Amino acid sequence: GISGEPIRLTVYSPHVLDLTLVDLPGITKVPVGDQPEDIEEQLRTIVLQYIRNPNSIILSVTAANTDLATSEALKLAREVDAEGNRTLAVCTKLDLMDAGTTADDLLSGKGL
């Protein structure tokens, strides 16, 4: 099942700023195993609960070997931050890109 309850890690130190990091789940489109039929809607609700906050910085994580135009993470970020003022696109898995392709356009923001 899915829980909307966060797991909290708190670091106390006079040498760090107050900052809360929330690792949100990715959006699952198709239920697998015993996942509920409405898994996508449940996850979307949980994610939007956090990223709607105008004080949140959104790290929109997408694998380099996928099409950014279909990135669910970027789509959700744009819903709440259309100008991209508080969204950072994070590109992972550069090592899995097809041979002969580069991340030049991706890293320069041309595909966003």
Side-chain angles (χ1 to χ4, degrees):
I2 303 167
S3 171
E5 284 297 311
I7 298 171
R8 298 184 187 275
L9 170 66
T10 305
V11 177
Y12 295 97
S13 171
H15 307 291
V16 297
L17 297 173
D18 289 342
L19 178 68
T20 301
L21 298 176
V22 180
D23 183 10
L24 297 169
I27 301 297
T28 299
K29 294 281 192 183
V30 178
V32 177
D34 65 349
Q35 291 178 334
E37 287 298 316
D38 66 341
I39 185 85
E40 180 181 5
E41 189 54 40
Q42 286 187 38
L43 292 172
R44 184 179 166 79
T45 299
I46 291 169
V47 170
L48 286 172
Q49 172 186 336
Y50 287 94
I51 68 173
R52 277 194 177 116
N53 180 340
N55 294 318
S56 293
I57 297 171
I58 303 165
L59 300 179
S60 180
V61 180
T62 304
N65 62 341
T66 61
D67 184 5
L68 281 181
T70 61
S71 168
E72 193 66 25
L74 284 173
K75 179 182 172 190
L76 283 173
R78 282 189 177 138
E79 281 182 31
V80 298
D81 183 31
E83 300 291 320
N85 293 326
R86 54 191 185 90
T87 301
L88 297 171
V90 178
C91 183
T92 64
K93 302 182 183 178
L94 289 165
D95 58 320
L96 298 180
M97 293 182 71
D98 293 334
T101 61
T102 69
D104 293 346
D105 286 346
L106 179 67
L107 296 174
S108 64
K110 291 180 183 172
L112 301 175

